[in-house]
């Protein structure tokens, strides 16, 4: 067991890794997800199941604004909930932790966005010890079997008499199948495995699949509509549904937006499902691969808290199997993001260790695109050999030409080296490839930075705003927004963005920018620093 303390934190977290249990302590409260109990000074605080769920979500993602849409998606499972019910539930959560809507000591309302837990949460550090437990053997199989769900995409139906829409529906079925192969925790069955592709849930149950994706396409004059739903085959429950409208003359735009939505929603849903299964089974990872898979659930969330939680799992995976290339590359990758999300001064890492993990991962497996991309990105940040880094990215793209990460991060390395036009071209190729939420935010940051150093300030601030929408707690989002606005002469808004940046990285000064952002061109670095200083960054 590891209880972490911090000079800045009043919340500590305790992890029982083998049980996938989180215990949070803030002020004199303790929230224990294993027993689903909230205690104050050792005494039990009565909470309803929904109150506990909302509080757990707020604390678990304390550095993220929890929108009303996220509450409906993750707590109420897309059921209709009135505005008054949401407000009443939030009042109950505040009452449970001795807070209220006026003082907002722990739970802050972010106008027109949602809610955020503002207690200072300390994520587990890389050196955190792991306490192993020995859950019943029969539980291990149930949990591990449950974390890999099977899914199939039923051929989309054409609800019109237009034959060309049948071709569009067939292509949509294929593309969604392709996107789902990139969602961890899923085994994707080919649509042809259904005894009767048009048979829906009943046929999917006969085929032994856990989930089925169904949908339809319609056209009315120049308007195109695509409807889609995800159905739990075993319960018959529709767990998610959506629709997208667009111009019938540009069906690929509708398709790209739908695929991006699917990548984001499905990744979040199945990650949370895997963690919930482990929690209910009171079991957790025991092998190197299982520790790696659990870590990646947290890595994919893309916040500094979640990545901090992932690192001990990855180090344990490496300890159990030094030949686990994925765990080594993911560890190196995670240290890069801890540096970027916290600032170098707030997240000191040993570059030699990061380089060792990345280099060893590539030596073990140079045919895995994910290993190559993660290792290349880490080496680009901590070793700085552009030629070697790009060769790894290019090999990853040769193995997987549709990898949004390989395109966007190799573009980032080119921008870093001063080849901005080529870098932006690569990043643009990543945009329509169905990246998930954090990836879209990182792509927007890179686009903003690239346009900033080339003097295209209007495009830079546009992409910076997109980045802030996707990754509001990423310091880079605020940095590119502050710099672009300051160089445009928008002093008041630039100062506001700088205040956000200073809150996220209070120790960052102009002298530390070169160690935080990887810009090897002196001219590009000077432009970026000038924008930040104009926005109010201390020298």
């Amino acid at each position: 067991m590891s209880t972490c303390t911090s000079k800045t934190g009043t919340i500590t977290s305790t992890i029982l890794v083998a049980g996938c249990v989180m215990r949070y302590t803030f002020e004199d409260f303790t929230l224990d997800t294993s027993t689903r109990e909230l205690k104050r000074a050792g005494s039990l605080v009565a909470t309803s199941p929904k109150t506990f769920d909302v509080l757990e979500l707020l604390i678990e993602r304390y550095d993220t604004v929890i929108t009303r849409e996220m509450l409906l998606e993750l707590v109420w499972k897309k059921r209709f909930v009135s505005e008054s019910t949401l407000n009443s539930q939030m009042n109950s959560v505040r009452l449970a932790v001795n807070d209220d809507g006026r003082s907002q000591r722990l739970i802050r309302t972010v106008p027109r966005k949602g809610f955020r837990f503002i207690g200072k949460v300390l994520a587990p550090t890389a050196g955190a010890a792991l306490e192993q437990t020995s859950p019943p053997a029969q539980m291990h199989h149930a949990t591990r079997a449950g974390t890999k769900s099977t899914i199939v995409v039923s051929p989309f139906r054409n609800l019109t008499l237009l034959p060309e829409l049948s071709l569009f529906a067939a292509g949509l079925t294929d593309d969604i199948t392709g996107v789902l192969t990139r969602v961890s925790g899923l085994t994707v069955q080919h649509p042809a495995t259904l005894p009767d592709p048009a048979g829906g849930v009943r046929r999917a149950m006969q085929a032994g699949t856990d989930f089925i994706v169904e949908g339809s396409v319609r056209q009315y004059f120049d308007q195109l509509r695509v409807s889609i739903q995800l159905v739990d085959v075993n319960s018959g429950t529709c767990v998610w549904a959506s629709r997208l409208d667009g111009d019938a003359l540009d069906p690929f735009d509708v398709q790209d937006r739908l695929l991006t939505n699917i990548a984001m929603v499905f990744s979040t849903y199945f990650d949370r499902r895997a963690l919930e299964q482990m929690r209910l089974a009171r079991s957790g990872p025991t092998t190197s691969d299982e520790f790696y898979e659990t870590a990646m659930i947290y890595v994919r969330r893309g916040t500094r808290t979640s990545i901090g939680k992932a690192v001990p799992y990855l180090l344990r995976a490496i300890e159990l199997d030094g030949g686990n290339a994925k765990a080594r590359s993911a560890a190196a990758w995670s240290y890069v993001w801890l540096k970027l999300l916290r600032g170098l001064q707030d997240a000191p890492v040993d570059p030699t260790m990061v380089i060792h993990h990345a280099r060893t991962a590539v030596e073990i497996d140079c045919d895995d695109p994910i290993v190559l991309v993660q290792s290349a990105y880490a080496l680009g940040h901590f070793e700085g050999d552009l030629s070697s880094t790009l060769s790894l990215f290019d090999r990853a793209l040769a193995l997987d030409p549709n990898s949004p990460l390989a395109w966007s991060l190799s573009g980032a390395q080119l921008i870093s080296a001063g080849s901005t036009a080529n870098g932006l071209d690569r990043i643009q190729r990543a945009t329509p490839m169905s990246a998930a939420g954090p990836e879209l935010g990182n792509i927007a940051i890179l686009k903003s930075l690239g346009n900033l150093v080339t003097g295209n300030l209007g495009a830079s601030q546009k992409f910076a705003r997109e980045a802030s929408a996707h990754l509001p707690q990423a310091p880079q989002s605020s940095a590119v927004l502050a710099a672009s606005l300051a160089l445009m002469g928008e002093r008041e808004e630039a100062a506001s963005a700088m205040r956000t940046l200073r809150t996220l990285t209070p120790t960052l000064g102009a002298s530390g920018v070169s160690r935080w952002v990887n810009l090897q061109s002196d001219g590009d670095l000077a432009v970026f620093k000038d924008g930040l200083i104009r926005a109010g960054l201390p020298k």
Side-chain angles (χ1 to χ4, degrees):
M1 185 182 298
S2 170
T3 300
C4 305
T5 58
S6 164
K7 63 182 180 181
T8 62
T10 57
I11 289 185
T12 59
S13 55
T14 300
I15 303 182
L16 299 178
V17 174
C20 198
V21 172
M22 293 302 297
R23 183 177 297 120
Y24 301 94
T25 303
F26 54 99
E27 296 184 345
D28 57 347
F29 290 92
T30 300
L31 183 84
D32 191 329
T33 65
S34 65
T35 60
R36 289 183 61 79
E37 291 180 339
L38 175 67
K39 293 183 178 180
R40 184 179 187 185
S43 300
L44 187 64
V45 177
T47 59
S48 70
K50 280 290 186 286
T51 297
F52 189 93
D53 289 342
V54 173
L55 181 58
E56 180 184 2
L57 178 63
L58 287 166
I59 294 178
E60 181 187 60
R61 303 192 184 186
Y62 78 97
D63 54 359
T64 301
V65 175
I66 303 300
T67 65
R68 294 177 185 274
E69 290 74 18
M70 291 173 68
L71 286 170
L72 293 175
E73 175 79 33
L74 302 175
V75 176
W76 277 273
K77 312 302 181 187
K78 281 283 186 179
R79 296 187 182 93
F80 173 76
V81 178
S82 67
E83 190 76 10
S84 61
T85 299
L86 275 177
N87 291 335
S88 175
Q89 188 64 69
M90 195 55 60
N91 289 336
S92 298
V93 174
R94 284 190 168 119
L95 182 63
V97 295
N98 196 31
D99 195 5
D100 58 69
R102 176 170 295 182
S103 63
Q104 299 191 16
R105 188 184 78 261
L106 291 174
I107 300 172
R108 175 175 297 168
T109 299
V110 182
R112 296 182 299 279
K113 291 186 178 179
F115 306 94
R116 181 185 169 203
F117 193 93
I118 59 174
K120 296 179 181 178
V121 181
L122 176 67
T125 63
L130 304 179
E131 180 177 295
Q132 297 280 131
T133 62
S134 300
Q138 64 268 25
M139 290 296 192
H140 288 292
H141 174 75
T143 299
R144 288 196 288 271
T147 56
K148 201 78 170 177
S149 302
T150 56
I151 192 169
V152 66
V153 182
S154 180
F156 273 50
R157 293 165 293 145
N158 175 11
L159 301 183
T160 74
L161 299 177
L162 301 174
E164 58 268 25
L165 274 191
S166 295
L167 297 176
F168 175 68
L172 199 57
T173 302
D174 291 342
D175 286 345
I176 292 174
T177 300
V179 166
L180 294 181
T181 63
R182 297 179 180 274
V183 176
S184 296
L186 285 180
T187 297
V188 184
Q189 296 179 253
H190 193 276
T193 60
L194 289 172
D196 175 8
V201 174
R202 182 171 57 86
R203 294 300 186 187
M205 186 177 294
Q206 292 176 358
T209 190
D210 299 314
F211 291 87
I212 185 171
V213 178
E214 297 181 310
S216 63
V217 295
R218 286 172 280 175
Q219 183 177 334
Y220 184 72
F221 291 102
D222 59 349
Q223 290 296 303
L224 178 66
R225 170 170 291 180
V226 178
S227 300
I228 183 172
Q229 56 187 8
L230 172 66
V231 180
D232 184 329
V233 172
N234 296 313
S235 67
T237 304
C238 179
V239 298
W240 174 78
S242 184
R243 75 180 190 201
L244 272 83
D245 296 332
D247 189 343
L249 297 178
D250 190 9
F252 287 148
D253 173 66
V254 178
Q255 176 176 297
D256 288 343
R257 287 189 286 124
L258 179 64
L259 295 179
T260 298
N261 194 14
I262 289 172
M264 294 171 61
V265 172
F266 282 37
S267 180
T268 299
Y269 176 80
F270 286 103
D271 278 349
R272 289 187 66 85
R273 185 172 186 269
L275 287 176
E276 180 68 8
Q277 286 179 319
M278 284 191 286
R279 187 187 69 79
L280 292 174
R282 297 294 191 271
S283 180
T286 57
T287 68
S288 178
D289 286 342
E290 290 167 4
F291 272 97
Y292 165 77
E293 292 292 345
T294 304
M296 293 311 294
I297 292 174
Y298 291 112
V299 169
R300 284 189 291 273
R301 291 181 180 176
T303 69
R304 60 185 179 183
T305 305
S306 62
I307 294 175
K309 291 177 184 176
V311 169
Y313 289 85
L314 292 169
L315 295 181
R316 179 61 174 159
I318 295 169
E319 180 184 342
L320 290 171
D321 180 6
N324 190 330
K326 287 186 175 181
R328 286 189 179 275
S329 67
W333 164 270
S334 296
Y335 282 122
V336 174
W337 286 106
L338 286 179
K339 168 192 167 185
L340 293 175
L341 292 171
R342 292 180 176 175
L344 187 63
Q345 299 90 334
D346 297 328
V349 297
D350 179 6
T352 304
M353 176 192 64
V354 177
I355 292 170
H356 170 70
H357 282 315
R359 284 291 176 199
T360 304
V362 174
E363 289 172 4
I364 294 170
D365 189 352
C366 64
D367 293 320
D368 187 318
I370 297 297
V371 169
L372 292 169
V373 168
Q374 292 178 337
S375 298
Y377 195 54
L379 292 171
H381 270 267
F382 289 101
E383 196 173 54
D385 185 345
L386 179 65
S387 176
S388 174
T389 298
L390 285 179
S391 69
L392 293 177
F393 278 123
D394 287 343
R395 178 164 179 77
L397 286 168
L399 293 167
D400 183 2
N402 293 318
S403 168
L405 273 180
W407 283 113
S408 63
L409 297 183
S410 63
Q413 293 302 306
L414 288 167
I415 291 176
S416 171
S419 183
T420 306
N422 290 334
L424 287 173
D425 179 65
R426 286 200 175 210
I427 293 166
Q428 183 58 38
R429 297 187 67 171
T431 305
M433 290 184 180
S434 308
E439 293 176 22
L440 290 173
N442 292 324
I443 287 171
I445 289 171
L446 294 172
K447 286 183 175 181
S448 178
L449 183 61
N451 280 281
L452 178 73
V453 299
T454 55
N456 192 351
L457 300 179
S460 178
Q461 65 88 20
K462 170 180 173 290
F463 289 123
R465 294 184 193 279
E466 288 184 13
S468 296
H470 287 292
L471 297 174
Q473 298 302 313
Q476 289 80 3
S477 298
S478 299
V480 290
L481 182 59
S484 61
L485 289 169
L487 292 174
M488 291 176 69
E490 301 289 343
R491 296 182 180 180
E492 185 174 338
E493 198 172 356
S496 175
M498 178 53 64
R499 285 193 293 272
T500 302
L501 176 61
R502 297 281 292 149
T503 299
L504 295 171
T505 56
T507 58
L508 180 66
S511 61
V513 171
S514 61
R515 291 177 293 157
W516 179 52
V517 177
N518 190 21
L519 286 175
Q520 298 173 17
S521 166
D522 291 339
D524 291 348
L525 182 61
V527 170
F528 187 45
K529 287 177 65 175
D530 180 43
L532 292 175
I533 292 170
R534 290 192 191 192
L537 185 68
K539 295 184 179 181

